[in-house]
Amino acid sequence: MSLLSDLVNLNLSDSTKQIIAEYIWIGGSGMDIRSKARTLPGPVSDPSKLPKWNYDGSSTGQASGDNSEVILYPQAIFRDPFRRGDNILVMCDAYTPAGDPIPTNKRHKAAKIFSHPNVAKEVPWYGIEQEYTLMQKGMNWPIGWPVGGFPGPQGPYYCGVGADKAIGRDIVDAHYKACLYAGIGISGVNGEVMPGQWEFQVGPVEGISSGDQVWVARYLLERITEISGVNVSFDPKPVPVSILTHSNSHHMHSGAHCNYSTKTMRNDGGLAVIKKAIEKLQVKHKEHIAAYGEGNERRLTGKHETADINTFSWGVANRGASVRVGRDTEKEGKGYFEDRRPASNMDPYVVTSMIAETTILG
């Protein structure tokens, strides 16, 4: 094993100028992250200088077998914390050979929205709070939970310390540092309300880069849990509701709250702009809910710090509302607001661009 470890950690710069680029894309389910590696003749820092590549879309649910070639367009480059050196991670989106975005390519539409002059001049910032649950490998059961049993009531786990409360901290810390190394704007991590559940925050990040960074942060988490021998779940209700009804664990759900501001909102008088934006979100509530993640109805019940999925609400410092405005924003008369509706398995390209489209272009 020591030889294998030595080879995995081999510094290629000692013997070659070539680098390894890991191309990353989103598969047919909308949540399955795929990647493959290729050799390049030397370091690259501009994604437009990278070659396009292809893959078998019939094996990812994105093309038929008789016309299976899908083309990867490199869009963003990150440092590779696994191979290090000049090696890179490349976030891509997917197109047909004719150059049309395939149906599961959500980045393409998002990029169009963010490049709209009215959106670009508002410099939209996002902060995504990504919750997730670490699961026992081979079992649909969170780590730290007794097999076939339930943890104690909510209380000691949120931001908790200790072997019986902070389950999986080594994975969380490894992921935190990997994101920083990669160049992702990760701003923090914390333990959440149930054992094995954690959160990381990415932001503030501007426009389309928010989606790129959240997806690569998810990729890094998948790779680190792969190494650690556990699974990661982004399901908004990772333990079936039918099981939870027989326990004290109704509160156990995962979201991806989206904090949002525009240049106008951040300037003096911005609170009035925030209130107008919230009114626009209310009008489009059903459309946003439909795009905010699969299975969100199991999470947005109107209980346990969630709003009812069918009813839009907002308030200052109200964590049971659809949209929350912070006390500091109210006091200063400017700042940001938090859309608490997105599920943990939401597509950040869809959510961020949809909020901008509704509040700026709507």
Side-chain angles (χ1 to χ4, degrees):
M1 289 298 292
S2 61
L3 177 58
L4 178 60
S5 178
D6 288 345
L7 288 171
V8 168
N9 295 307
L10 195 63
N11 185 352
L12 295 179
S13 63
D14 292 341
S15 58
T16 180
K17 293 181 180 178
Q18 293 176 308
I19 68 158
I20 300 172
E22 189 79 26
Y23 279 42
I24 303 166
W25 72 97
I26 303 157
S29 75
M31 274 304 293
D32 56 318
I33 304 172
R34 311 286 180 129
S35 77
K36 62 177 183 173
R38 67 181 299 165
T39 305
L40 298 177
V44 182
S45 58
D46 181 352
S48 68
K49 304 296 184 184
L50 288 167
K52 295 173 184 176
W53 206 6
N54 65 74
Y55 67 92
D56 174 14
S58 68
S59 295
T60 63
Q62 294 169 297
S64 60
D66 60 348
N67 188 21
S68 65
E69 190 168 286
V70 179
I71 312 302
L72 292 171
Y73 285 34
Q75 299 292 356
I77 292 175
F78 299 85
R79 293 185 294 274
D80 187 340
F82 303 106
R83 298 185 177 107
R84 306 184 191 181
D86 291 324
N87 302 298
I88 55 176
L89 306 175
V90 183
M91 189 66 208
C92 305
D93 58 354
Y95 296 79
T96 67
D100 299 316
I102 65 172
T104 55
N105 180 352
K106 307 303 182 184
R107 191 188 191 280
H108 180 78
K109 181 181 177 181
K112 279 190 171 182
I113 292 170
F114 285 121
S115 64
H116 190 288
N118 291 349
V119 175
K121 74 179 182 181
E122 281 289 350
V123 194
W125 290 356
Y126 299 89
I128 307 295
E129 304 173 29
Q130 175 69 70
E131 293 181 334
Y132 61 93
T133 308
L134 298 173
M135 310 291 280
Q136 299 176 43
K137 190 175 181 180
M139 300 177 63
N140 189 29
W141 210 246
I143 65 171
W145 288 34
V147 177
F150 300 92
Q154 178 181 1
Y157 310 109
Y158 173 71
C159 298
V161 177
D164 58 342
K165 304 176 190 71
I167 316 298
R169 188 187 293 278
D170 53 344
I171 293 171
V172 174
D173 196 47
H175 176 250
Y176 195 172
K177 292 176 180 177
C179 285
L180 288 171
Y181 182 94
I184 292 167
I186 186 169
S187 50
V189 300
N190 62 267
E192 270 300 333
V193 298
M194 71 175 180
Q197 184 189 37
W198 294 83
E199 174 184 302
F200 64 87
Q201 302 94 33
V202 174
V205 179
E206 181 184 343
I208 195 70
S209 293
S210 178
D212 290 337
Q213 293 193 25
V214 170
W215 272 117
V216 175
R218 286 174 172 177
Y219 168 82
L220 293 175
L221 184 57
E222 292 273 15
R223 286 283 307 274
I224 290 166
T225 53
E226 173 189 319
I227 295 166
S228 303
V230 302
N231 293 329
V232 58
S233 173
F234 295 105
D235 193 287
K237 205 76 173 178
V239 177
V241 176
S242 58
I243 296 176
L244 292 180
T245 54
H246 302 292
S247 76
N248 59 9
S249 308
H250 302 281
H251 60 280
M252 295 173 179
H253 52 73
S254 295
H257 302 159
C258 182
N259 299 277
Y260 169 70
S261 71
T262 64
K263 185 176 181 180
T264 310
M265 293 175 190
R266 296 187 293 270
N267 290 338
D268 290 342
L271 183 58
V273 181
I274 288 172
K275 289 179 179 180
K276 288 180 181 177
I278 293 173
E279 289 174 3
K280 292 179 179 181
L281 289 175
Q282 182 171 9
V283 172
K284 296 280 188 137
H285 177 62
K286 287 185 178 180
E287 291 90 334
H288 279 254
I289 286 294
Y292 274 17
E294 294 284 335
N296 213 6
E297 72 283 350
R298 293 179 281 126
R299 166 180 164 261
L300 295 180
T301 62
K303 301 176 182 178
H304 314 295
E305 296 189 350
T306 69
D308 180 81
I309 194 168
N310 297 308
T311 306
F312 184 91
S313 60
W314 78 276
V316 177
N318 183 357
R319 296 184 184 276
S322 307
V323 171
R324 180 184 68 88
V325 174
R327 289 285 184 203
D328 287 345
T329 296
E330 180 189 44
K331 181 180 178 180
E332 296 176 14
K334 60 184 177 181
Y336 70 97
F337 66 83
E338 175 191 41
D339 191 337
R340 297 178 59 81
R341 296 172 295 172
S344 48
N345 59 3
M346 64 84 173
D347 188 323
Y349 293 135
V350 173
V351 169
T352 56
S353 62
M354 195 173 194
I355 291 173
E357 185 176 37
T358 296
T359 61
I360 300 173
L361 302 179

